[in-house]
Amino acid sequence: MLVLGGTAVQAQDAGSAGKGIYTCIDSSGKRLTRDRPIPECIDREQRELNADGSVKRRIPPNMTADERAEQEAREKEEALARSNRQEAVRRDRNLLQRFPNEAAHNKARDAALEEIRKGLRASEARLASLTKERKPLLDEAEFYVGKPLPPLLKQQLDGNEAATEAQRALVLNQQAELGRVSSLYDVEAERLKKLWGGAQPGSLGVLPRPSAPPTSAPRKPQP
């Protein structure tokens, strides 16, 4: 019986110990104590106590909608900052792997620019060819001043003009691409100099975007 009695007392003590003790000061200044979180203090701090009265943990007040929105905004900013740091580390390591020294970077720059220049030279040659083809068409059109052009001649002039416009637009795009790629390698070169000098990957922030060179509208061919 003594054994059974002792076991019952231990079970009762264990059940009591498992319950928390919560306390707070409500809006009227009154101290409240319960065995569970106190609804009257949902907007203020509560403390959960141990059996000996020491503080087990502090329970912060529930946030308002505005406070929750502010916290979510902060968390998003912090997540974005972490993502940017990780991206900067990854890009810097990739740069160092691709370009272990200045000679490797210069070689890649020359190859990339030459590929664009090759296309640009072809486009300019095609533009010169179209200009040459247009000359006899304009000479022939002079015989019809003040008169409707023959359908075939008008079709040839219109086709030449459309092709010339398209080719001029292509030349402008290739020139812009040449400037963009050159700016990109300039930005990389500045960053790589610091990385080659001992800067840790990711310590230089996010790789800035190269500024886009200005472009102008294609010019119409002069008759």
Side-chain angles (χ1 to χ4, degrees):
M1 290 179 65
L2 289 175
V3 171
L4 290 174
T7 303
V9 171
Q10 290 176 353
Q12 183 177 4
D13 290 344
S16 299
K19 291 184 178 181
I21 303 172
Y22 298 85
T23 182
C24 69
I25 305 295
D26 68 9
S27 58
S28 64
K30 181 181 178 181
R31 179 176 293 280
L32 304 178
T33 302
R34 306 271 175 83
D35 62 353
R36 59 180 56 84
I38 305 171
E40 294 90 330
C41 292
I42 196 171
D43 61 343
R44 58 198 63 239
E45 181 184 271
Q46 302 184 46
R47 290 182 297 168
E48 183 181 2
L49 307 179
N50 294 309
D52 61 0
S54 61
V55 177
K56 182 178 181 180
R57 64 175 176 137
R58 296 180 183 273
I59 305 172
N62 281 11
M63 292 183 291
T64 65
D66 289 341
E67 290 171 338
R68 281 196 300 272
E70 290 178 2
Q71 182 179 7
E72 289 173 1
R74 285 194 300 270
E75 290 174 351
K76 287 181 179 178
E77 290 178 0
E78 292 170 357
L80 179 60
R82 287 194 299 271
S83 176
N84 287 340
R85 286 194 296 270
Q86 293 169 357
E87 176 66 10
V89 170
R90 185 188 67 80
R91 294 198 66 170
D92 285 347
R93 286 175 177 169
N94 286 344
L95 279 176
L96 286 172
Q97 185 175 5
R98 291 170 56 202
F99 310 117
N101 50 53
E102 188 173 1
H105 191 254
N106 288 339
K107 181 178 180 181
R109 178 204 292 266
D110 292 341
L113 295 179
E114 179 55 29
E115 187 66 24
I116 300 172
R117 291 190 185 107
K118 185 187 300 182
L120 182 57
R121 288 193 295 268
S123 297
E124 290 173 339
R126 174 58 180 156
L127 193 57
S129 176
L130 287 168
T131 301
K132 186 176 180 180
E133 292 173 6
R134 186 176 182 82
K135 179 68 168 60
L137 297 176
L138 292 175
D139 291 342
E140 185 178 351
E142 290 181 357
F143 293 103
Y144 300 94
V145 176
K147 300 178 183 179
L149 294 176
L152 179 58
L153 178 58
K154 186 177 186 309
Q155 181 181 0
Q156 290 173 326
L157 282 169
D158 290 345
N160 180 276
E161 182 176 356
T164 299
E165 284 291 294
Q167 204 63 37
R168 286 184 182 277
L170 178 58
V171 167
L172 285 176
N173 288 337
Q174 289 169 323
Q175 290 172 340
E177 180 67 3
L178 193 66
R180 188 192 69 82
V181 172
S182 181
S183 296
L184 173 62
Y185 276 93
D186 287 342
V187 170
E188 286 183 351
E190 287 298 317
R191 194 179 192 87
L192 281 166
K193 286 177 183 177
K194 297 174 183 178
L195 293 171
W196 292 328
Q200 290 300 309
S203 65
L204 304 174
V206 179
L207 186 68
R209 294 179 179 274
S211 57
T215 59
S216 56
R219 296 171 298 174
K220 292 185 178 182
Q222 298 298 321

